[in-house]
């Protein structure tokens, strides 16, 4: 059963997913995760946002970095460096096991959704973590240095190149798996929540898939987006840098406009409340900064309460 279907990227979105997982009855959360950041590295299939979600929901993530495993060792990386191999993308020893096993199973012909569901079970999760699609979608960043694949822009070039545009290769032909269709049509579904992830990097890859747009349009449950901006800034990552490079005003009003036609409600931080009059959908103002477990659970409750207000109209 799915009471909440959440759409998320990695670190920022996973914080709200943790809160939702805590406040919902066990197993009632399905998180659909961006796979536009996925890439092949050292011959391995890497799905950074899926792994961040699995590690965060299971309490195994690295709290300082936000990605990778806590209590990690780096022997593999040290040896790769000794051999003069590529070391710009850091794979910890425990994390490496996930990439190796995923690659083996993909090469044997399994689907990413089935592999991810098994990993989630092995990590002790009761809810579902589902890739946004099993098909290949790749976020490409068009910059003043040329077109870069996402991880080369994000990690190798540390988001320094100026972004001129974004492309989502493969999205137009990508399909949704049955798990997502089922979750979106579940009669107990109360809300579809767009987590406070970067709209251009983490949520646009979903929205560029025609079947996702259709799912969001046809859903009877309210679609609620949470703005990632607090005081005109993202907590982490290049959201506002990209907004300014794309000549967009750095405010939650821009985020709400980005989701226009898709969302029924918009949640934003009090520091952004001045833009409420500019927003065409229902709004809910509440602190969105999630530092502690209590913050995550409180925001999750606020979002669900806001979603319930749509059925009381
Ligand atoms: N981010 C970094 O900034 N540097 C890294 O070396 C790095 C390695 C890495 C390995 C596995 C993984 O699942 C994620 C990793 N990330 C790393 C995070 C990742 O590049 C980004 O956080 C996401 O793709 C953006 O959501």
């Amino acid at each position: 059963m799915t009471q909440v279907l959440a759409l998320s990227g990695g670190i920022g979105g996973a914080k709200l997913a943790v809160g939702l997982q805590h406040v919902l009855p066990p197993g009632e959360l399905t998180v659909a995760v961006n796979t536009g950041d996925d890439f092949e590295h050292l011959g391995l299939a890497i799905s950074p946002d899926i792994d961040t979600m699995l590690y965060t929901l299971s309490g195994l993530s690295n709290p300082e970095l936000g990605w990778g495993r806590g209590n990690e060792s780096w022997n593999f990386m040290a040896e790769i460096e000794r051999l003069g191999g590529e070391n710009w993308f850091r794979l910890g020893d425990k994390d490496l096991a996930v990439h190796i096993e995923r690659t083996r199973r993909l090469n044997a012909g399994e689907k990413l959704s089935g592999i991810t569901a098994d990993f989630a079970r092995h990590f002790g999760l009761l809810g579902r973590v589902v890739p946004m699609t099993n098909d290949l979608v790749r976020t490409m960043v068009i910059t003043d240095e040329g077109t870069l694949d996402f991880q080369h822009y994000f990690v190798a070039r540390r988001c320094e190149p100026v972004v001129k545009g974004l492309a989502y290769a493969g999205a137009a032909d990508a399909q949704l798996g049955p798990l997502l269709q089922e979750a979106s049509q579940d009669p107990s579904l109360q809300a579809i929540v767009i987590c406070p992830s970067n709209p251009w990097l983490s949520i646009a890859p979903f929205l560029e898939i025609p079947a996702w747009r259709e799912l969001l349009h046809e859903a009877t449950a309210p679609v609620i987006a949470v703005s990632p901006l607090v005081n005109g800034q993202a907590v982490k990552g290049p959201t506002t840098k990209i907004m300014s490079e794309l000549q967009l005003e750095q405010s939650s009003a821009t985020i709400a406009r980005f989701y226009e036609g898709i969302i029924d409600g918009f949640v934003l931080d009090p520091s952004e409340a001045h833009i409420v009059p500019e927003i065409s959908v229902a709004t809910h103002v509440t602190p969105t900064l999630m530092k502690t477990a209590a913050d995550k659970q409180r925001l999750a409750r606020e979002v669900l309460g806001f979603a319930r207000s749509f059925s009381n109209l």
Side-chain angles (χ1 to χ4, degrees):
M1 293 242 288
T2 294
Q3 277 194 31
V4 173
L5 171 61
L7 280 64
S8 180
I11 303 167
K15 289 185 184 175
L16 181 57
V18 166
L20 288 166
Q21 173 178 256
H22 192 273
V23 304
L24 288 166
E28 297 274 345
L29 174 66
T30 296
V31 189
V33 183
N34 171 41
T35 54
D37 299 6
D38 292 14
F39 76 133
E40 198 185 293
H41 183 60
L42 304 175
L44 300 171
I46 317 276
S47 293
D49 286 357
I50 287 181
D51 294 346
T52 296
M53 190 58 70
L54 291 173
Y55 298 157
T56 307
L57 289 178
S58 58
L60 295 172
S61 66
N62 180 323
E64 281 86 44
L65 294 174
W67 54 268
R69 290 281 301 267
N71 276 327
E72 184 60 287
S73 57
W74 299 91
N75 296 311
F76 166 75
M77 222 49 233
E79 290 307 308
I80 277 282
E81 275 172 26
R82 189 207 294 261
L83 296 172
E86 282 192 61
N87 63 358
W88 60 273
F89 194 81
R90 307 197 55 79
L91 298 175
D93 298 336
K94 290 179 186 165
D95 190 36
L96 186 60
V98 168
H99 309 305
I100 290 176
E101 180 60 0
R102 176 169 42 230
T103 307
R104 182 191 70 75
R105 292 178 62 168
L106 285 171
N107 287 343
E110 290 189 51
K111 290 201 184 330
L112 185 59
S113 53
I115 302 168
T116 306
D118 281 349
F119 286 0
R121 207 175 43 251
H122 291 302
F123 282 124
L125 300 183
L126 297 176
R128 284 153 299 280
V129 174
V130 188
M132 67 176 187
T133 175
N134 281 319
D135 298 323
L136 223 67
V137 174
R138 293 292 174 265
T139 300
M140 306 301 296
V141 189
I142 303 154
T143 76
D144 58 347
E145 296 180 7
T147 299
L148 302 174
D149 73 66
F150 180 80
Q151 297 299 342
H152 278 89
Y153 163 75
F154 195 85
V155 177
R157 293 291 297 112
R158 296 195 179 90
C159 307
E160 281 166 15
V162 175
V163 176
K164 307 263 185 207
L166 291 142
Y168 309 93
D173 300 318
Q175 308 294 322
L176 299 199
L179 281 173
L180 291 170
Q181 300 287 1
E182 266 166 42
S184 69
Q185 284 157 17
D186 193 315
S188 55
L189 189 68
Q190 288 177 16
I192 299 181
V193 177
I194 301 181
C195 290
S197 299
N198 181 318
W200 293 272
L201 297 182
S202 301
I203 305 297
F206 289 82
L207 304 180
E208 292 292 314
I209 298 175
W212 262 109
R213 286 216 168 238
E214 207 174 299
L215 180 156
L216 294 169
H217 278 134
E218 287 175 4
T220 45
V223 180
I224 313 283
V226 181
S227 174
L229 300 189
V230 175
N231 261 321
Q233 294 295 324
V235 176
K236 204 168 189 238
T239 308
T240 47
K241 178 176 182 283
I242 291 176
M243 288 170 91
S244 89
E245 289 166 357
L246 295 175
Q247 327 283 329
L248 297 166
E249 185 204 343
Q250 294 168 38
S251 93
S252 288
T254 310
I255 311 272
R257 269 194 293 278
F258 181 86
Y259 291 132
E260 214 163 64
I262 292 162
I263 57 170
D264 303 296
F266 189 64
V267 176
L268 67 167
D269 191 75
S271 62
E272 299 278 301
H274 56 279
I275 58 94
V276 165
E278 296 176 49
I279 298 182
S280 60
V281 295
T283 54
H284 183 69
V285 177
T286 188
T288 59
L289 198 60
M290 291 175 280
K291 288 201 165 155
T292 64
D295 294 340
K296 293 167 195 166
Q297 292 161 27
R298 194 201 55 77
L299 181 58
R301 282 198 189 90
E302 291 279 338
V303 170
L304 296 184
F306 182 42
R308 267 194 296 279
S309 71
F310 287 82
S311 50
N312 299 335
L313 291 177

